[in-house]
mmCIF file of all heavy atoms in Angstrom:
data_model
loop_
_atom_site.group_PDB
_atom_site.id
_atom_site.type_symbol
_atom_site.label_atom_id
_atom_site.label_comp_id
_atom_site.label_asym_id
_atom_site.label_seq_id
_atom_site.Cartn_x
_atom_site.Cartn_y
_atom_site.Cartn_z
ATOM 1 N N PRO A 583 -63.853 -22.275 -42.169
ATOM 2 C CA PRO A 583 -65.265 -22.666 -42.255
ATOM 3 C C PRO A 583 -66.201 -21.471 -42.420
ATOM 4 O O PRO A 583 -67.205 -21.558 -43.137
ATOM 5 C CB PRO A 583 -65.508 -23.387 -40.924
ATOM 6 C CG PRO A 583 -64.177 -23.943 -40.562
ATOM 7 C CD PRO A 583 -63.202 -22.880 -40.980
ATOM 8 N N GLU A 584 -65.866 -20.347 -41.774
ATOM 9 C CA GLU A 584 -66.688 -19.141 -41.904
ATOM 10 C C GLU A 584 -66.593 -18.587 -43.327
ATOM 11 O O GLU A 584 -67.586 -18.091 -43.875
ATOM 12 C CB GLU A 584 -66.227 -18.088 -40.906
ATOM 13 C CG GLU A 584 -66.408 -18.474 -39.449
ATOM 14 C CD GLU A 584 -65.948 -17.394 -38.499
ATOM 15 O OE1 GLU A 584 -64.729 -17.101 -38.466
ATOM 16 O OE2 GLU A 584 -66.789 -16.838 -37.784
ATOM 17 N N VAL A 585 -65.417 -18.661 -43.917
ATOM 18 C CA VAL A 585 -65.231 -18.198 -45.292
ATOM 19 C C VAL A 585 -66.082 -19.036 -46.247
ATOM 20 O O VAL A 585 -66.770 -18.501 -47.128
ATOM 21 C CB VAL A 585 -63.752 -18.278 -45.697
ATOM 22 C CG1 VAL A 585 -63.575 -17.952 -47.182
ATOM 23 C CG2 VAL A 585 -62.908 -17.332 -44.849
ATOM 24 N N PHE A 586 -66.048 -20.349 -46.063
ATOM 25 C CA PHE A 586 -66.824 -21.226 -46.938
ATOM 26 C C PHE A 586 -68.321 -20.970 -46.782
ATOM 27 O O PHE A 586 -69.065 -21.005 -47.765
ATOM 28 C CB PHE A 586 -66.509 -22.696 -46.629
ATOM 29 C CG PHE A 586 -65.085 -23.091 -46.912
ATOM 30 C CD1 PHE A 586 -64.340 -23.789 -45.966
ATOM 31 C CD2 PHE A 586 -64.480 -22.753 -48.114
ATOM 32 C CE1 PHE A 586 -63.029 -24.144 -46.224
ATOM 33 C CE2 PHE A 586 -63.157 -23.100 -48.383
ATOM 34 C CZ PHE A 586 -62.432 -23.808 -47.426
ATOM 35 N N LEU A 587 -68.768 -20.701 -45.556
ATOM 36 C CA LEU A 587 -70.182 -20.406 -45.329
ATOM 37 C C LEU A 587 -70.585 -19.130 -46.055
ATOM 38 O O LEU A 587 -71.652 -19.078 -46.684
ATOM 39 C CB LEU A 587 -70.457 -20.272 -43.830
ATOM 40 C CG LEU A 587 -71.902 -19.924 -43.450
ATOM 41 C CD1 LEU A 587 -72.872 -20.998 -43.933
ATOM 42 C CD2 LEU A 587 -72.030 -19.731 -41.941
ATOM 43 N N VAL A 588 -69.746 -18.100 -46.008
ATOM 44 C CA VAL A 588 -70.034 -16.853 -46.717
ATOM 45 C C VAL A 588 -70.115 -17.108 -48.219
ATOM 46 O O VAL A 588 -71.051 -16.654 -48.898
ATOM 47 C CB VAL A 588 -68.965 -15.783 -46.407
ATOM 48 C CG1 VAL A 588 -69.095 -14.596 -47.360
ATOM 49 C CG2 VAL A 588 -69.078 -15.307 -44.964
ATOM 50 N N ALA A 589 -69.139 -17.826 -48.760
ATOM 51 C CA ALA A 589 -69.117 -18.098 -50.201
ATOM 52 C C ALA A 589 -70.337 -18.911 -50.632
ATOM 53 O O ALA A 589 -70.960 -18.621 -51.665
ATOM 54 C CB ALA A 589 -67.829 -18.841 -50.570
ATOM 55 N N ASN A 590 -70.699 -19.917 -49.844
ATOM 56 C CA ASN A 590 -71.874 -20.738 -50.168
ATOM 57 C C ASN A 590 -73.155 -19.915 -50.109
ATOM 58 O O ASN A 590 -74.081 -20.112 -50.903
ATOM 59 C CB ASN A 590 -71.975 -21.920 -49.204
ATOM 60 C CG ASN A 590 -70.859 -22.923 -49.391
ATOM 61 O OD1 ASN A 590 -70.155 -22.895 -50.406
ATOM 62 N ND2 ASN A 590 -70.677 -23.800 -48.418
ATOM 63 N N THR A 591 -73.208 -18.982 -49.158
ATOM 64 C CA THR A 591 -74.374 -18.114 -49.030
ATOM 65 C C THR A 591 -74.503 -17.201 -50.239
ATOM 66 O O THR A 591 -75.608 -16.970 -50.754
ATOM 67 C CB THR A 591 -74.275 -17.273 -47.738
ATOM 68 O OG1 THR A 591 -74.234 -18.152 -46.611
ATOM 69 C CG2 THR A 591 -75.461 -16.324 -47.606
ATOM 70 N N ILE A 592 -73.384 -16.670 -50.706
ATOM 71 C CA ILE A 592 -73.397 -15.813 -51.897
ATOM 72 C C ILE A 592 -73.893 -16.601 -53.105
ATOM 73 O O ILE A 592 -74.734 -16.118 -53.886
ATOM 74 C CB ILE A 592 -71.994 -15.247 -52.165
ATOM 75 C CG1 ILE A 592 -71.607 -14.266 -51.051
ATOM 76 C CG2 ILE A 592 -71.931 -14.552 -53.532
ATOM 77 C CD1 ILE A 592 -70.157 -13.824 -51.090
ATOM 78 N N ARG A 593 -73.416 -17.825 -53.265
ATOM 79 C CA ARG A 593 -73.853 -18.648 -54.395
ATOM 80 C C ARG A 593 -75.350 -18.926 -54.329
ATOM 81 O O ARG A 593 -76.034 -18.934 -55.361
ATOM 82 C CB ARG A 593 -73.080 -19.973 -54.409
ATOM 83 C CG ARG A 593 -71.617 -19.845 -54.783
ATOM 84 C CD ARG A 593 -71.000 -21.215 -55.085
ATOM 85 N NE ARG A 593 -69.575 -21.081 -55.358
ATOM 86 C CZ ARG A 593 -68.625 -21.162 -54.437
ATOM 87 N NH1 ARG A 593 -68.956 -21.417 -53.180
ATOM 88 N NH2 ARG A 593 -67.366 -21.007 -54.771
ATOM 89 N N ALA A 594 -75.858 -19.158 -53.141
ATOM 90 C CA ALA A 594 -77.278 -19.476 -52.993
ATOM 91 C C ALA A 594 -78.162 -18.236 -53.148
ATOM 92 O O ALA A 594 -79.184 -18.275 -53.827
ATOM 93 C CB ALA A 594 -77.523 -20.125 -51.624
ATOM 94 N N GLN A 595 -77.764 -17.128 -52.523
ATOM 95 C CA GLN A 595 -78.592 -15.924 -52.543
ATOM 96 C C GLN A 595 -78.554 -15.183 -53.869
ATOM 97 O O GLN A 595 -79.524 -14.513 -54.238
ATOM 98 C CB GLN A 595 -78.131 -14.965 -51.436
ATOM 99 C CG GLN A 595 -78.494 -15.411 -50.031
ATOM 100 C CD GLN A 595 -78.145 -14.383 -48.976
ATOM 101 O OE1 GLN A 595 -78.419 -14.569 -47.794
ATOM 102 N NE2 GLN A 595 -77.523 -13.300 -49.392
ATOM 103 N N TYR A 596 -77.448 -15.289 -54.575
ATOM 104 C CA TYR A 596 -77.277 -14.525 -55.810
ATOM 105 C C TYR A 596 -77.030 -15.447 -57.004
ATOM 106 O O TYR A 596 -76.242 -15.139 -57.883
ATOM 107 C CB TYR A 596 -76.125 -13.528 -55.649
ATOM 108 C CG TYR A 596 -76.310 -12.611 -54.458
ATOM 109 C CD1 TYR A 596 -75.652 -12.860 -53.251
ATOM 110 C CD2 TYR A 596 -77.172 -11.520 -54.514
ATOM 111 C CE1 TYR A 596 -75.834 -12.039 -52.142
ATOM 112 C CE2 TYR A 596 -77.370 -10.694 -53.419
ATOM 113 C CZ TYR A 596 -76.695 -10.961 -52.238
ATOM 114 O OH TYR A 596 -76.889 -10.146 -51.143
ATOM 115 N N ALA A 597 -77.741 -16.575 -57.007
ATOM 116 C CA ALA A 597 -77.551 -17.567 -58.070
ATOM 117 C C ALA A 597 -77.845 -16.984 -59.452
ATOM 118 O O ALA A 597 -77.170 -17.312 -60.434
ATOM 119 C CB ALA A 597 -78.440 -18.782 -57.814
#
Side-chain angles (χ1 to χ4, degrees):
E584 296 181 294
V585 173
F586 296 131
L587 178 61
V588 168
N590 292 345
T591 299
I592 292 170
R593 290 193 184 91
Q595 287 186 177
Y596 305 100

